[in-house]
Amino acid sequence: MISFYLLLAALAFLFLYFSIKKLTVQIDEKVLLEPIKSDLYPKFCECIDEKIRNFKEQIQQEKLQLKNEHTKDILLEKLGDFSRELTFIQTMNLSKKNDEIWQEELFSFLKEIENTLLEFLENGEQEAEKLRNELMREFEALH
């Protein structure tokens, strides 16, 4: 009688083992078949950083009109800080595959840039709108 229960327990264990193995294989296959987005946000961060560098160049070459010429160095410093902050965001979120975390971080970051453009540039609203549209096109192209 005891051997019957041992045999029954062994069969139940094998059934459970193979069921779990089959389930994990299915999950792994699903993850592998999903489009990989892990490089989407780092590439988008590179696009944003390029835009920041372009703003710095335009300000240094005086292609953009400032509200107050005495704040040029402050604005250039803020743009440099944005580049460093963007690198920090990239580094901290690189291992995270969660789209919502990336989107939240980048949305608040881009809002900071927009507010800075509005604060310092004569045509800040136009430049912020232009930046928004360009980044939206580039993000869609990365998909």
Side-chain angles (χ1 to χ4, degrees), residues 50-109:
E50 183 180 322
K51 300 296 180 193
I52 293 170
R53 285 192 303 273
N54 287 343
F55 276 118
K56 285 176 74 171
E57 281 180 26
Q58 289 178 336
I59 291 166
Q60 289 170 337
Q61 297 171 359
E62 297 180 358
K63 291 182 179 179
L64 289 175
Q65 184 72 30
L66 299 176
K67 287 182 179 177
N68 183 349
E69 290 299 320
H70 301 295
T71 60
K72 180 178 180 178
D73 291 335
I74 295 170
L75 178 55
L76 290 172
E77 186 177 326
K78 280 186 174 268
L79 291 172
D81 290 344
F82 285 139
S83 283
R84 286 185 287 282
E85 185 178 345
L86 186 60
T87 301
F88 178 76
I89 289 171
Q90 265 185 292
T91 305
M92 293 306 293
N93 293 323
L94 205 51
S95 64
K96 297 177 183 163
K97 308 289 188 226
N98 189 337
D99 285 353
E100 290 178 21
I101 293 173
W102 275 101
Q103 290 169 6
E104 183 180 315
E105 292 270 341
L106 291 176
F107 179 78
S108 64
F109 176 75

Side-chain angles (χ1 to χ4, degrees), residues 83-140:
S83 283
R84 286 185 287 282
E85 185 178 345
L86 186 60
T87 301
F88 178 76
I89 289 171
Q90 265 185 292
T91 305
M92 293 306 293
N93 293 323
L94 205 51
S95 64
K96 297 177 183 163
K97 308 289 188 226
N98 189 337
D99 285 353
E100 290 178 21
I101 293 173
W102 275 101
Q103 290 169 6
E104 183 180 315
E105 292 270 341
L106 291 176
F107 179 78
S108 64
F109 176 75
L110 290 171
K111 193 68 180 162
E112 283 181 57
I113 292 175
E114 182 179 329
N115 290 338
T116 300
L117 296 177
L118 294 172
E119 180 183 349
F120 286 93
L121 297 180
E122 192 68 41
N123 297 327
E125 196 165 317
Q126 291 173 338
E127 290 298 325
E129 182 70 27
K130 182 178 159 187
L131 175 66
R132 238 182 277 117
N133 290 332
E134 289 174 0
L135 288 175
M136 184 173 60
R137 279 193 304 273
E138 290 193 29
F139 186 76
E140 289 172 356

